[in-house]
Amino acid sequence: MPIARPAEPVALDGVELRVLHVPLVSPFTTSFGTETVREVIVVRVLTAGGDGWGEIVTQADPLYSSEYTQGAWDVAQRFLIPALLERRTVAAEDVAGILAPFIGHRMVKAGLELAVLDAGLRAQGRSLGEYLGAERDRVPSGVSVGIQKTPEALVEAVAGYLDEGYVRIKIKIKPGRDIHDTAAVRDAFGATPLQVDANSAYTLADAAVLAELDRFDLLLIEQPLQEDDLVDHAALSRMLRTPVCLDESIVSLKAARDALALGSASVVNIKAGRVGGYLEAVAIHDLCRDAGIPVWCGGMLETGIGRAANAALAALPGFTLPGDVSASSRFYARDIVTEPAVLEAGHVRVPTGPGLGVEIDPVALDDVTVQRVEIRR
Ligand code: SMG
Ligand code: MG
């Protein structure tokens, strides 16, 4: 459903940006690299009525997408924040339109929009979940497991997450670390809901290898081909029994519409950062729901800020598959919010307090801040 009641417009006095380096509890390896520290940008909008918080989910290097920390840092200060400050009073629903003349940089736009939205909702005493149209008070929690040294080590890692209660396992794959890894997990854990994520590591020429995954009864294969391979994804979809899910390719409502029209995906991963904001994410949810396409909420190793917002988004009715909405402890020993998301019987609670429904821990935030700037009007 489209947003029923707008958030309160906020009078912007300034915007603070911080680059954080948050240590991970264990290295996270995908087809494109290994991270041991989450580099991420936190946004604070300063308004007469109080602060609002957002998160820019870029990574240090442009490997998942073309966006990266220092590019985001630059474009935010040089173009996007000045465009918002020029308006002074901004409604969250207008942020995307104000920033639309600047091409791309969707993760930056999403982080700014979320901060404005948080401030506006806190002023109204409304939760983000209520605003977005959440229909559940908790959401089932899946976990994304990185590539390990060996398939045996992967099985051990998965066993640990299943013991914690995660209801769905996603493993990362890449050429050479696909069939054996998936077989090992499937053999060890029988009927556990299982899916794989290639992060664009294959081409259509690899279709025969990818078809071997069909025997593992996977929920889906996520983003096997490149971001702009909508036509090849459609061709691959016709060659596999495993449902193809798109992540990187779905950069907007328009891209989602194109992908559905072409038959490039039968499942969609929705990430607010990748599509330019939580409002665009809701629009994609609505499109997919009308088309009978299941969606689930992706993750970008968010801090407590984005993690709270993702839980709210994942509580919308079209999110019929468990998302990468895990407990904070999946990645972090110490989060930057006072009450980090926890796993309760395989679920994560949707915050109900005003705005994001989480409070920043200022000491924890300062401890992981490596770069800070404040832009005033
Ligand atoms: O936040 O649980 C999380 C991470 C989920 O695997 C995850 N994200 O392609 O879906 C994906 C990746 C993107 C980040 S990879 C460093
Ligand atoms: Mg993915």
Side-chain angles (χ1 to χ4, degrees), residues 328-347:
S328 170
S329 62
R330 156 67 187 92
F331 292 109
Y332 306 115
R334 187 185 185 205
D335 207 322
I336 58 164
V337 296
T338 55
E339 290 181 58
V342 294
L343 199 64
E344 297 169 331
H347 289 67

Side-chain angles (χ1 to χ4, degrees), residues 35-266:
E35 275 176 287
T36 56
V37 170
R38 177 66 168 116
E39 181 176 284
V40 66
I41 300 176
V42 161
V43 182
R44 177 189 350 205
V45 295
L46 312 161
T47 83
D51 295 345
W53 296 87
E55 175 166 352
I56 298 173
V57 297
T58 47
Q59 294 177 295
D61 302 333
L63 300 174
Y64 166 82
S65 82
S66 64
E67 296 190 73
Y68 66 102
T69 310
Q70 293 305 319
W73 186 254
D74 184 82
V75 80
Q77 290 175 65
R78 195 184 296 271
F79 300 107
L80 305 184
I81 292 171
L84 293 176
L85 292 179
E86 197 179 296
R87 300 286 179 120
R88 183 159 170 83
T89 298
V90 177
E93 297 80 13
D94 295 335
V95 170
I98 295 168
L99 302 181
F102 305 103
I103 309 297
H105 300 286
R106 293 183 172 92
M107 293 177 184
V108 187
K109 293 173 178 175
L112 295 171
E113 182 194 84
L114 182 59
V116 171
L117 190 48
D118 182 40
L121 291 174
R122 282 182 200 262
Q124 285 175 312
R126 297 170 67 195
S127 72
L128 180 63
E130 181 258 308
Y131 172 84
L132 295 176
E135 293 189 353
R136 283 171 283 181
D137 54 13
R138 56 179 210 155
V139 295
S141 183
V143 63
S144 174
V145 187
I147 296 169
Q148 309 290 316
K149 287 211 166 66
T150 61
E152 295 70 40
L154 175 64
V155 166
E156 205 178 303
V158 169
Y161 293 121
L162 290 174
D163 283 348
E164 283 185 58
Y166 287 103
V167 301
R168 181 227 70 193
I169 299 294
K170 153 168 147 181
I171 62 169
K172 294 289 189 176
I173 59 168
K174 66 177 182 180
R177 291 300 304 274
D178 37 33
I179 309 304
H180 287 314
D181 283 54
T182 309
V185 174
R186 181 46 92 214
D187 287 351
F189 305 109
T192 296
L194 178 65
Q195 62 194 54
V196 297
D197 186 0
N199 286 111
S200 306
Y202 297 88
T203 71
L204 197 51
D206 299 310
V209 176
L210 296 174
E212 286 182 51
L213 294 169
D214 279 345
R215 68 185 148 100
F216 300 119
D217 193 24
L218 301 175
L219 289 169
L220 55 91
I221 175 169
E222 184 178 346
Q223 196 70 36
L225 314 179
Q226 299 290 295
E227 178 177 318
D228 60 1
D229 278 343
L230 283 187
V231 170
D232 282 358
H233 273 112
L236 183 66
S237 294
R238 291 191 291 271
M239 300 162 83
L240 303 183
R241 263 192 297 120
T242 307
V244 171
C245 169
L246 290 179
D247 173 358
E248 284 88 329
S249 295
I250 306 298
V251 295
S252 63
L253 175 62
K254 170 72 164 56
R257 205 177 274 135
D258 289 352
L260 298 196
L262 286 166
S264 314
S266 49

